Amino acid sequence: MTPATAGGPYKVPRQHDNWRSITLSVVMHAVLLMFLWIGVSWQNNEPVEVQAEIWDMKVEQAAPTPTPEPAPQPEPEPEAVKPPPAPVVEAPPVPREDPEIALQRIKKKKQEEEKAEKLEQARLKKEADDKLAKLEAKKKAEQQAKEEKAEQEAKEKALAEKDKKKAATEKLAKEKAEKAAKEKAFAAEMSRITGAAAKGSTGTAAQSTGGRVDGGYRAAVIAKIRGNMSGNWDNSLSATYSITQLPSGEIIGVRKVKGSGTDAYDRAIESAINASSPLPKKKDGTVERDITADFNMKDMH
């Protein structure tokens, strides 16, 4: 290449190698034909227009005064040709559905939904009915169990009452039997004593049953009973009791004639009387079958 002189116009340098230009032209035409063949094979895409400029390197201009040639410059590389864009594949058109068929499909779908809703409602109703039936059966079973329990308790209570009455009757019968036995033993003892007294002297028969009241004997009886009493009591308290005893001094009956007004004091006296059996005897060895004694706290200290 020959550069332009200072201040002069640019001139195309003279080309000394024509084979190079011819080869470049052939390559460019081959590339162009290949792109055209690819574009034709893709029928769905619009043909891509490819433009190529061909320079005729033979054009020459009048050169100015020759100047020394500069060092050769590297030849410019050919411009890269961009590949064609990828073909755009269009989706096939969706066929339009017949309005009558679409209406039938919507109607069928609605009927299926209504049927499913009815089935669901029936299922929920059945579940609710089953729960209600189970609840009623449970309540009925609980009520029946409650009634059976109440009936059983009533039976047990009646049986307990019956057993209690039976025990009370048996106790009363036993007490009566014991009292009768004691009365019989007392009568036998009295018969023995009176019989022995009749053999010895008829004047002592009255004494065998007690005779007149002996003040020392009564004091001895009260003293023994007082010794079996417990607790501290008011001196104003006073009670009267009747005591029935066998000739041996064994107490067979205690009866309150006059209470003190204090139940605790009366119970203490009764307990002390029962704890004092057998009671002391008179000097002649006899006892009073029935003895009434006053228990005054002021006289018992």
Side-chain angles (χ1 to χ4, degrees):
M1 296 182 185
T2 303
T5 60
Y10 176 79
K11 293 181 179 181
V12 178
R14 184 187 298 271
Q15 299 291 333
H16 299 282
D17 191 358
N18 293 332
W19 287 104
R20 183 180 298 176
S21 300
I22 294 171
T23 302
L24 180 61
S25 177
V26 170
V27 169
M28 293 298 294
H29 282 81
V31 171
L32 179 60
L33 289 174
M34 182 181 66
F35 286 154
L36 289 175
W37 181 79
I38 293 173
V40 171
S41 64
W42 291 345
Q43 297 179 1
N44 291 332
N45 296 332
E46 295 179 357
V48 179
E49 181 179 357
V50 180
Q51 295 180 357
E53 295 182 0
I54 301 175
W55 294 80
D56 189 358
M57 305 303 295
K58 296 180 179 181
V59 178
E60 298 182 355
Q61 290 183 354
T65 306
T67 56
E69 293 184 358
Q73 298 291 331
E75 295 181 359
E77 297 180 359
E79 183 180 359
V81 180
K82 295 181 179 180
V88 179
V89 180
E90 297 182 357
V94 180
R96 295 183 61 185
E97 187 177 7
D98 188 359
E100 185 66 23
I101 297 176
L103 183 61
Q104 292 293 333
R105 181 174 55 81
I106 294 173
K107 185 177 180 181
K108 183 178 180 181
K109 183 178 180 181
K110 186 176 180 181
Q111 290 176 352
E112 291 177 353
E113 291 177 351
E114 290 177 353
K115 184 178 179 180
E117 184 177 0
K118 289 180 180 180
L119 291 174
E120 182 67 15
Q121 290 178 357
R123 185 183 66 81
L124 294 176
K125 184 176 182 301
K126 186 176 182 301
E127 290 182 356
D129 294 340
D130 292 342
K131 289 181 179 179
L132 182 61
K134 290 180 180 179
L135 183 61
E136 291 179 352
K138 183 179 179 181
K139 288 182 177 180
K140 186 176 180 180
E142 291 178 351
Q143 182 65 24
Q144 185 176 359
K146 188 175 180 181
E147 292 177 355
E148 290 177 354
K149 183 178 179 181
E151 184 178 357
Q152 183 66 23
E153 290 178 352
K155 288 181 179 179
E156 291 178 356
K157 186 176 180 180
L159 185 59
E161 291 290 337
K162 185 178 180 181
D163 293 341
K164 187 176 179 181
K165 290 180 180 180
K166 183 179 179 181
T169 303
E170 291 177 353
K171 183 179 179 181
L172 182 60
K174 184 178 179 181
E175 290 177 353
K176 287 182 178 180
E178 290 178 354
K179 186 175 181 181
K182 289 180 180 180
E183 291 287 345
K184 186 177 181 181
F186 180 80
E189 185 68 16
M190 290 298 295
S191 297
R192 184 183 63 80
I193 294 173
T194 53
K199 292 179 181 179
S201 174
T202 56
T204 61
Q207 292 180 356
S208 65
T209 59
R212 60 189 181 86
V213 178
D214 186 352
Y217 167 70
R218 186 183 296 274
V221 170
I222 293 176
K224 185 174 182 180
I225 295 173
R226 180 181 60 188
N228 291 319
M229 285 190 66
S230 61
N232 297 322
W233 306 99
D234 189 358
N235 291 335
S236 63
L237 295 176
S238 176
T240 303
Y241 279 84
S242 175
I243 304 171
T244 303
Q245 59 182 331
L246 293 173
S248 60
E250 183 181 358
I251 298 173
I252 60 174
V254 179
R255 182 173 60 86
K256 180 167 63 175
V257 178
K258 179 183 178 182
S260 65
T262 303
D263 292 339
Y265 178 69
D266 295 343
R267 288 194 299 270
I269 293 174
E270 291 181 9
S271 297
I273 292 172
N274 292 323
S276 300
S277 181
L279 294 174
K281 298 179 181 180
K282 296 180 181 180
K283 294 179 181 181
D284 58 2
T286 60
V287 298
E288 295 182 8
R289 183 175 185 276
D290 293 315
I291 179 173
T292 302
D294 296 327
F295 296 94
N296 298 323
M297 283 302 301
K298 64 180 180 179
D299 297 334
M300 295 176 66
H301 290 294

